[in-house]
Each structure stands twice: as C-alpha cells, then as structure tokens.
Amino acid sequence: MMDLYHKLLILGGISFLIFGISWICFARISMSYIEREMKKEGKEPPQWDGMGARAVSYAMVIALPAGVLKNYILVDAEAAKRLSRPLDRKLAVWYLIAGFVGTVIILVASYVKPDDLIL
C-alpha cells in the first residue's frame, strides 16, 4: 500500500507535467502573439529570458487585476494587458495556478517525507 509521501510525489509529478504543458501553451500561443502585436506597434519585446522568467512576467501581468503590476519593469505591462485576448488570460491563469499547485504539493511532500527514507 502506498503511503501519503509517495501519493504526494506522484501527484506532484502529475502537477508539474501539467505545469510544463501550460508553460509551453502559454509561451507558444499567448506570449508569441503579444510580442508579435507589440512589434506591430513599434515596441520591442524584452530580449532577456532568464530561465523562463519572461513567460512568468507576462502571465502575472495578464492574470492579475489591472494596476497591480502597473510599474512592472521586466515587461511592458500596459501593452501586454491591452493586447491580451480572453484566451491569453485563461492560459495565464492556468499557467500560474499549475505552477503554484505543483510547488505546494512538492513542498508538502518534502515535509511529510518519512525520517527513515534516504533521498
């Protein structure tokens, strides 16, 4: 019989798989669309992308209520919010929630890890 720790590890693995899929979907669909539209307006998208931080930045700007990240310097928050479509908002929320849930599950699993288990 499987204990709580191993159930959480499996659930965490599934959550991170969903997170990876949501990351790819958001980056390929929403981020590329927004940056293409920004170029049409003569605005250059950020050239940096430290370990996927650009995708997280766009997702936070799009998913959070207007004005929360008004002075955000990593991406053009105003343009990203204005140019985002309803699909982009859904993908951003899916991406952020999937990452948060996966992280919480893995942290809880590390807390309930049996003492006699060596990893």
Side-chain angles (χ1 to χ4, degrees), residues 99-118:
F100 177 76
V101 168
T103 302
V104 168
I105 290 171
I106 295 298
L107 289 174
V108 170
S110 69
Y111 178 75
V112 300
K113 181 181 71 124
D115 292 333
D116 60 345
L117 186 65
I118 299 172

Side-chain angles (χ1 to χ4, degrees), residues 67-82:
V68 172
L69 297 175
K70 182 172 58 171
N71 297 323
Y72 199 57
I73 60 170
L74 299 178
V75 296
D76 187 342
E78 185 276 325
K81 190 79 160 174
R82 180 174 40 82

Side-chain angles (χ1 to χ4, degrees), residues 26 55-65 69 72 81 92 95-96:
F26 180 76
V56 174
S57 298
Y58 277 118
M60 287 190 329
V61 165
I62 293 168
L64 295 175
L69 297 175
Y72 199 57
K81 190 79 160 174
Y95 170 56
L96 292 174

Side-chain angles (χ1 to χ4, degrees), residues 88-101:
D88 302 327
R89 288 184 199 95
K90 289 175 186 167
L91 289 173
V93 169
W94 178 37
Y95 170 56
L96 292 174
I97 289 174
F100 177 76
V101 168

